[in-house]
Each structure stands twice: as C-alpha cells, then as structure tokens.
C-alpha cells in the first residue's frame, strides 16, 4: 500500500521529539565537531522554514561555522512563504557573496527554505554550488498532499500565492540544475514525506533519516550528513555513501516509491 500523502496524526503528535533532538545536539556537539570533516571555507547560506527565522537555524549555522565554512543567514525576519520579492533580495545577496568570496555558494534550506534554495538554483545556477534540503515538500502541489492541513494554512496566510510569480513558476518542484540532496524522515509530523523525495540520478539524491520535522536543524545525524555533503570537492560531487553509525541510521533512496 502506498504511503499516505499527508503527515499522519501520530507523527504530528510525536513532533515533541524535537526537544530530545535539541538536547542531543548540545550533548553531542563537541564530539560531532571533532568527527565531522572540516570545511573548505566556501560560502554556505542557510534558509529557515515556513514562519521560522534565523533563530531556529542558529545551531546548524554555528556548527557549520565551526567546521570552517563562511556561513550566511537568511536575514529577512520570518519566512512567510514563497514571495518573488524575497527571492530577489536573496539573489542580490547571493551575487555579492559570490563576488566577494570568488566561489560559488552552497544553499541549505530547511522545509520551505529549501523551496527557495531550489528555485534560486534554477534562477541563479552560476552562483550555486549545491543544494541541500531538510524536510522540504517540493513535490507538494503535484499530488493530493497539496490538500493537507499545512497546505491549507499556507494558502490562508498567503492569499496571493496563486498569482505570485515565484510560486506560479513551479521552479522549486523542478529537478535542480546543480547537485542536490534531499534529506527526509518518514516520521515527519509536519509535511508529507512523499513530497520530499524525487527520482535520483548522477547529481540528485534522497536520504532517509529518522527524526522529527521541527528538530531537523538540531538532529546530530542530519548535521553530520550535511557536513559530509558540503565537504565534497567542487565539481566532484558523488552520491552519499553512509558508513559507520550513519549506515545504520540513514539510507539513500533513489526511487520515491521504495522510500
């Protein structure tokens, strides 16, 4: 039987697991910093989820900063939804970052932040090195998942969504023109996990993990995977190959139907 195209009530109730993930982040942060591969110093921009701000990505950004990356935040307050004017502001900053560093920028987006990352990768591919999304429902709107509670809430808070050029373009749903990694959890209690996976190829992949949606920017396993993905040499991207503990706790998945 195919998985439901909505977050289950049980998973939604279990989102309190995020508190445990936050606790595990602070308990394992020092060890995680020692075990994760060092960064090469290239710029990384981290984008928050729907109605979240930079506050909820602070732990992830601090971790990446400690690894040696040039880390940049969203800096636009709360993320209210896909808006063309916000996308253009991000793109302007992206161009400045690229020019100053003389290196392409990796985009890490949590939830709706990943929708911005994917759209920007299409619009400004010359500035983007790779895209990593955490629980991003880029497939929503192409299945019955679009009728879920989160989608209805989004429309209620974004009455202009149907006519906004960024949303109407559908770019976030299209396969990215740069290497991309979608990290998702089938226990996600906020978005339907089926909308977070796509058929992979030589430059696009899905990685299944265990955890909540709200705790993704604190989950030590996810942070370790993000660090490994970012540490790849530019122009030498390869699919994720789990090893050690990550081999037990995560699984690359190519076919969404097999996720």
């Amino acid at each position: 039987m195919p998985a439901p195209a909505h977050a289950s009530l049980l998973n939604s109730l279990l989102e309190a697991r995020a508190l445990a993930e936050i606790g595990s982040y602070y308990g394992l942060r020092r060890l995680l910093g020692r075990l994760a591969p060092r960064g090469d110093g290239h710029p990384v921009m981290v984008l928050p989820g729907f109605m979240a701000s930079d506050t909820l990505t602070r732990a992830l950004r601090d971790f990446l900063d400690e690894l040696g990356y040039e880390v940049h935040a969203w800096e636009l307050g709360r993320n209210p939804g896909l808006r063309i004017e916000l996308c253009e502001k991000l793109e302007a900053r992206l161009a400045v970052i690229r020019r100053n560093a003389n290196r392409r920028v990796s985009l890490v987006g949590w939830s709706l932040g990943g929708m911005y990352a994917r759209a920007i990768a299409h619009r400004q591919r010359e500035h983007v090195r790779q895209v990593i999304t955490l629980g991003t429902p880029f497939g929503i709107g192409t299945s019955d998942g679009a009728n879920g509670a989160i989608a209805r809430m989004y429309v209620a808070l974004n009455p202009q969504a149907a006519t906004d050029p960024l949303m109407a373009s559908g770019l976030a749903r299209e396969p990215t023109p740069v290497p991309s990694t979608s990290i998702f959890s089938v226990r996600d209690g906020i978005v339907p996990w089926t909308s977070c996976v796509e058929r992979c190829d030589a430059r696009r992949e899905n990685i299944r993990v265990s955890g909540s949606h709200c705790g993704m920017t604190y989950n030590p396993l996810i942070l370790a995977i993000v660090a490994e993905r970012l540490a790849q040499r530019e122009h030498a991207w390869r699919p994720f190959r789990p090893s050690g503990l990550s081999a037990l706790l995560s699984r690359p998945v190519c076919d969404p139907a097999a996720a």
Side-chain angles (χ1 to χ4, degrees), residues 4 15 27 58 83-84 90 97-98 123 131-132 136 139 151 156 163 173 179 190 201 203 207:
E15 275 297 307
R58 179 66 181 271
R83 310 274 180 87
I84 187 63
L90 289 171
I97 293 169
R98 165 71 190 276
R123 291 163 55 93
V131 169
I132 301 173
T136 294
T163 57
R173 296 193 294 270
I190 301 297
D201 55 28
R203 299 202 307 168
I207 303 176

Side-chain angles (χ1 to χ4, degrees), residues 13 86 111 169 180 223:
L13 293 174
L86 296 182
S111 196
S169 71
S180 65
L223 267 59

